[in-house]
């Protein structure tokens, strides 16, 4: 699934405002350490020196633009929020255009292997940022479950005075930040560029808790729960200062935003759903496909691939249904899975305990799957109450995996094994920890995220669970296939919605007919695809790329194939466009084949 993310190939304009700006863990690998530049080997020639100077300068500029500071070796949110005015975005677009022109002038054939990867990643990163700024996607700065007003509150309490003071500084800046977003949204409405109304109705409710002046305000609760590691009298001083800022700055800002959303924005948002209905929308959708898939694929190619994969997975699902001993129809089996009490937790803690047990079961298998294991550990937390009704079932990140305990009759236990391996280990949290501890590479490589790579790996780990003994019953395996089907169906649904004129209900019916996903999840997912064109395509195409590469490796190496170095090659590479991933894995296969021949 999408990480606290979010979203996103590399960070789009929306993702920039939601992750770099806020410091929220909206991407699986978004909050990672960056090694000192001195650890990197010196450039081999003038071309490498020019490239390094370019990407280091752009990255430092980018951090300053989006209010990030280098703190304890990691780029983290500063004591202010970034500017998101139209003028700031125009200035950024002009700068990124200059950067790409300078990059074009560097001869790629003079770069060594590592710098060629750096150049490819850097190009895709800057192109995605320029694309978002050019299309002015900041004029619709939220989607169905990811909001610029969310992610400001930490999921776990800060442990140092400096962190608390930076947090207070950001809260003091919320009013200005929200006003700039409101101005952008007004401009978007004026030119017909907005989020679709059907996919964001009711999202204004997520603002409500932050307008409260009581202790039920999540920000006030955060200060009340300041850890005892902050000693008195400093603890009381910070709590008093934080409470004052929340009541005097934050509550009025959220109250103003809530009024704007209800009285101005939501009533005026577009009633259409397709990206094609935006100004020059078909061209916009083509750029989104390229950004998220990192390949030159047409909507028609993707749609047809999805239809073929849906048919294949459907056959596997029916085979598993027979293995479960169910004698009714496929539709009756789905109804059975969605309604039988044996498949549902009775309390939130029961669901969380079950996820923790699966995660520990995975821990016992990792040594057989991965060669290099990270030291960094994640925790398991429930999705916060204020966003749980419209949030996905789970998301993983560096510090934690979130699992949704809202409306337990729609949270089937048979889906959890696949969800845990995808979100936690060896999926997103594991992936982010390895990136944190990765060999020295440029800062921008440490914190760049491509959905095809990251989500492709996450979905691949779901399949990998079949080799790890994670799915103990036919129902668990059906849950895994439901998740695989879900991602394959996205290829059909996303292109159906944005290229072929599908209605929202048509998309809901298609996903309902092909998966055992709960109705609430299905509606939330369809609304996400409507509000975030193209992003959902990355998952299955990235997954298929990795599965195809594994098949190549197994065929080329035969008995010499070892999945551990194969997986290490993918994970040590870090997040890259899919063509780069293919090139590097094939180079690994060639080296392994040569070594096996020598032996």
């Amino acid at each position: 699934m999408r990480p606290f993310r979010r979203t996103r190939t590399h960070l789009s304009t929306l993702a920039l405002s939601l992750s770099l700006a806020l410091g929220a863990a909206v991407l699986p690998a978004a909050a990672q350490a960056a090694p000192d530049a001195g650890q990197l080997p010196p450039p081999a020639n003038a071309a490498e020196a020019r490239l390094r100077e370019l990407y280091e300068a752009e990255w430092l500029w980018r951090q300053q633009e989006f209010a990030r500071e280098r703190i304890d070796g990691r780029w983290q949110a500063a004591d202010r929020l970034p500017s998101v005015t139209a003028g700031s975005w125009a200035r950024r677009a002009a700068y990124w255009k200059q950067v790409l022109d300078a990059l074009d002038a560097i001869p790629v054939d003079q770069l060594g292997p590592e710098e060629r990867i750096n150049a490819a990643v850097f190009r895709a990163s800057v192109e995605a940022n320029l694309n978002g700024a050019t299309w002015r996607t900041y004029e619709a700065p939220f989607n169905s479950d990811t909001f610029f007003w969310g992610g400001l509150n930490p999921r776990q309490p800060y442990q140092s005075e400096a962190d608390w003071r930076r947090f207070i500084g950001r809260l003091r800046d919320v009013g200005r930040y929200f006003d700039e977003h409101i101005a952008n949204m007004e401009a978007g409405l004026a030119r017909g560029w907005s989020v679709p109304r059907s996919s964001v109705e009711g999202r204004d409710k997520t603002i409500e808790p932050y307008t409260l002046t009581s202790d039920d305000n999540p920000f006030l609760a955060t200060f009340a729960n300041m850890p005892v590691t902050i000693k008195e009298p400093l603890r009381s001083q910070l709590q008093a200062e934080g409470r004052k800022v929340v009541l005097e700055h934050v509550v009025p800002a959220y109250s103003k935003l809530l009024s704007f959303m209800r009285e101005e924005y939501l009533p005026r948002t577009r009633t259409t759903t397709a990206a094609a209905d935006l100004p020059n929308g078909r061209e916009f959708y083509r750029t989104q496909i390229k950004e998220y898939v990192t390949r030159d694929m047409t909507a028609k190619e993707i749609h047809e691939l999805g239809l073929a994969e849906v048919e294949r997975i459907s056959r596997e699902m029916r085979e598993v249904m027979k293995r479960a001993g169910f004698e009714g129809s496929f539709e009756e089996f789905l109804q059975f899975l969605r309604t039988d009490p044996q498949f549902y937790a009775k309390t939130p803690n029961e669901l969380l305990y079950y996820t923790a047990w699966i995660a520990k079961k995975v821990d016992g298998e990792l040594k057989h799957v991965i060669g290099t294991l990270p030291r960094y550990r994640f925790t398991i937390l429930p999705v916060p109450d204020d966003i749980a009704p419209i949030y996905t079932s789970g998301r993983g990140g560096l510090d934690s995996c979130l699992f949704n305990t809202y409306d337990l009759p729609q949270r089937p236990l048979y889906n959890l094994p696949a969800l845990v391996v995808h979100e936690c280990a060896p999926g997103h949290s594991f992936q982010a920890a390895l990136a944190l501890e990765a060999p020295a590479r440029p800062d921008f490589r440490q914190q760049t995220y491509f959905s095809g790579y990251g989500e492709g790996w996450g979905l691949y780990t779901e399949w990998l669970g079949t080799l790890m003994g994670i799915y103990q019953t036919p129902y668990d395996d059906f849950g895994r296939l439901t998740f695989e089907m879900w991602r394959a169906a996205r290829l059909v649904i996303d292109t159906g919605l944005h290229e072929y004129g599908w209605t929202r209900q048509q998309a809901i019916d298609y996903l309902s007919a092909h998966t055992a996903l709960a109705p609430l999840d299905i509606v939330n997912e369809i609304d996400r695809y409507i509000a975030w064109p193209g992003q959902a395509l990355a998952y299955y195409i990235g997954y298929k790329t990795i599965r195809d590469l594994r098949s190549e490796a197994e065929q080329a190496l035969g008995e010499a194939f070892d999945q551990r170095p194969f997986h290490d090659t993918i994970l040590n590479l870090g997040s890259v466009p899919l063509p780069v991933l293919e090139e590097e894995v094939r180079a690994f296969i060639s080296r392994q084949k040569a070594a096996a021949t020598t032996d």
Side-chain angles (χ1 to χ4, degrees), residues 557 559-561 590-599:
L557 300 175
E559 293 295 323
F561 175 76
S590 296
R591 292 192 300 270
Q592 293 289 103
K593 189 173 183 179
T597 303
T598 302
D599 294 342

Side-chain angles (χ1 to χ4, degrees), residues 466-488:
T466 64
L467 308 184
M468 299 166 66
I470 302 305
Y471 308 107
Q472 295 188 332
T473 71
Y475 304 115
D476 291 344
D477 204 31
F478 195 88
R480 175 190 67 83
L481 286 170
T482 278
F483 274 26
E484 186 176 357
M485 173 67 84
W486 171 22
R487 278 45 165 264

